[in-house]
């Protein structure tokens, strides 16, 4: 397997202005501490842990939205990444234009970007919404648009921050199905997602990272993470989290 990302002893420290920076350790706890991690092609990695454990910070570090204040992050040369947020940002423009704009901003000629956008809508059943204003769509439809936008970029790593947290059960199931289809259609692409939905973790992940206070305390195959004979001895606090006794 080829490593897409390697993180070595990385930490992220936020200053009082909310930016990652060094020099604030005494006043502000680290958002991430001594994180070391490799992600291989085709892995589906779930990030779990209580609120404030560092899941979103780790996703942003992987994407490059944050820089480490210590340690290093190495991406495979030319690695294409895309990130989906819990509440996608929809512009006041047509759905097909929003997709085309993202491609055009990455250097694709506009005519080609328009064609690619239309092609990207089809796998997600969005052709009939192409002319709708993106910001007027329902939450589930907006997540489908965001996934189509990511799919159009042909990412080798897809990052998702609680992608179904604000959706109703039907929309959650729909988005999960689309993620499964994405993983199966691109077996060399990796998927890294944060989720509080442990059922979703079982359904989508092949590997689970448990974070607590900015540290990765557990890194296991999904079957071992949910094995009551493995997790309690390895990390009692992760087992308590799994049982719902640590929030």
């Amino acid at each position: 397997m080829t490593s897409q990302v390697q993180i070595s002893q990385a930490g992220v420290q936020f200053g009082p202005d909310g930016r990652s920076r060094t020099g604030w350790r005494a006043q502000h706890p680290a958002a991430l501490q001594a994180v070391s991690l490799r992600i291989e092609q085709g892995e589906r990695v779930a990030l779990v842990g209580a609120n404030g454990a560092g899941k979103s910070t780790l996703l942003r570090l992987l994407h490059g939205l944050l820089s480490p204040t210590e340690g290093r992050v190495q991406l495979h040369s030319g690695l294409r990444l895309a990130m989906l947020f819990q509440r996608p940002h929809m512009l006041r423009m047509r759905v097909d234009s929003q997709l085309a704009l993202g491609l055009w901003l990455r250097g694709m000629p506009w005519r080609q970007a328009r064609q690619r956008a239309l092609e990207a809508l089809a796998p997600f059943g969005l052709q009939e919404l192409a002319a709708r204003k993106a910001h007027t769509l329902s939450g589930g439809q907006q997540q489908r648009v965001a996934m189509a936008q990511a799919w159009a970029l042909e990412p080798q790593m897809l990052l998702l921050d609680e992608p179904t947290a604000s959706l109703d059960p039907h929309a959650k199931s729909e988005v999960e199905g689309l993620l499964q289809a994405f993983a199966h259609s691109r077996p060399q692409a990796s998927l890294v997602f944060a989720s509080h939905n442990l059922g979703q973790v079982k359904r989508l992940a092949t590997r689970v990272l448990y974070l607590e206070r900015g540290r990765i305390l557990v890194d296991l195959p999904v079957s071992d993470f949910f094995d009551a004979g493995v997790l309690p001895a390895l990390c009692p606090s992760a087992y308590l989290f799994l049982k719902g006794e640590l929030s």
Side-chain angles (χ1 to χ4, degrees):
M1 275 190 170
T2 301
S3 292
Q4 292 183 319
V5 175
Q6 182 168 346
I7 300 177
S8 304
Q9 291 295 304
V12 173
Q13 191 83 27
F14 292 112
D17 58 359
R19 298 181 179 179
S20 61
R21 57 176 63 192
T22 57
W24 298 97
R25 187 175 303 279
Q27 300 94 331
H28 302 272
L32 288 177
Q33 304 179 64
V35 169
S36 293
L37 172 67
R38 292 168 67 102
I39 298 176
E40 312 288 346
Q41 285 182 342
E43 286 195 296
R44 300 197 298 274
V45 183
L47 310 180
V48 302
N51 289 331
K55 303 183 297 295
S56 295
T57 303
L58 180 53
L59 285 171
R60 284 158 173 75
L61 185 68
L62 287 167
H63 191 268
L65 297 173
L66 291 174
S67 298
T69 49
E70 59 185 14
R72 62 179 182 173
V73 177
Q74 294 177 291
L75 304 181
H76 189 270
S77 178
L79 182 68
R80 296 188 303 276
L81 300 100
M83 185 163 179
L84 274 67
F85 297 91
Q86 182 177 336
R87 293 180 177 83
H89 182 64
M90 296 288 115
L91 302 175
R92 293 178 177 271
M93 60 171 54
R94 290 167 48 122
V95 168
D96 54 357
S97 295
Q98 168 146 342
L99 267 66
L101 179 62
L103 295 165
W104 179 76
L105 289 172
R106 292 204 175 198
M108 185 177 290
W110 180 252
R111 181 174 295 181
Q112 184 181 348
R114 291 278 297 180
Q115 181 60 37
R116 178 64 177 158
L118 292 174
E119 293 170 356
L121 294 175
F124 301 94
L126 292 168
Q127 304 98 312
E128 72 279 8
L129 301 179
R132 289 270 302 275
K133 297 293 186 182
H135 73 285
T136 67
L137 301 179
S138 69
Q141 289 170 333
Q142 289 188 5
Q143 279 290 20
R144 285 162 60 196
V145 170
M147 290 194 63
Q149 191 160 8
W151 186 88
L153 297 173
E154 299 184 330
Q156 296 161 309
M157 178 177 286
L158 182 60
L159 309 169
L160 306 102
D161 193 359
E162 298 280 356
T164 64
S166 60
L167 303 181
D168 61 47
H170 175 74
K172 285 182 180 181
S173 178
E174 187 176 62
V175 170
E176 282 189 22
L178 292 171
L179 290 174
Q180 290 278 21
F182 178 90
H184 289 142
S185 67
R186 295 181 177 172
Q188 297 303 308
S190 56
L191 187 70
V192 185
F193 66 100
S195 180
H196 284 287
N197 185 328
L198 296 177
Q200 183 177 84
V201 170
K202 285 183 179 180
R203 291 187 292 272
L204 294 179
T206 58
R207 176 183 174 192
V208 183
L209 307 183
Y210 171 75
L211 287 85
E212 188 175 305
R213 297 181 181 178
R215 295 181 180 273
I216 296 175
L217 299 188
V218 175
D219 182 351
L220 286 173
V222 66
S223 57
D224 289 346
F225 185 80
F226 288 99
D227 187 337
V230 174
L231 193 61
L234 181 65
C235 183
S237 63
Y239 184 63
L240 290 174
F241 172 82
L242 193 62
K243 292 175 62 179
E245 297 176 14
L246 183 67
S247 59

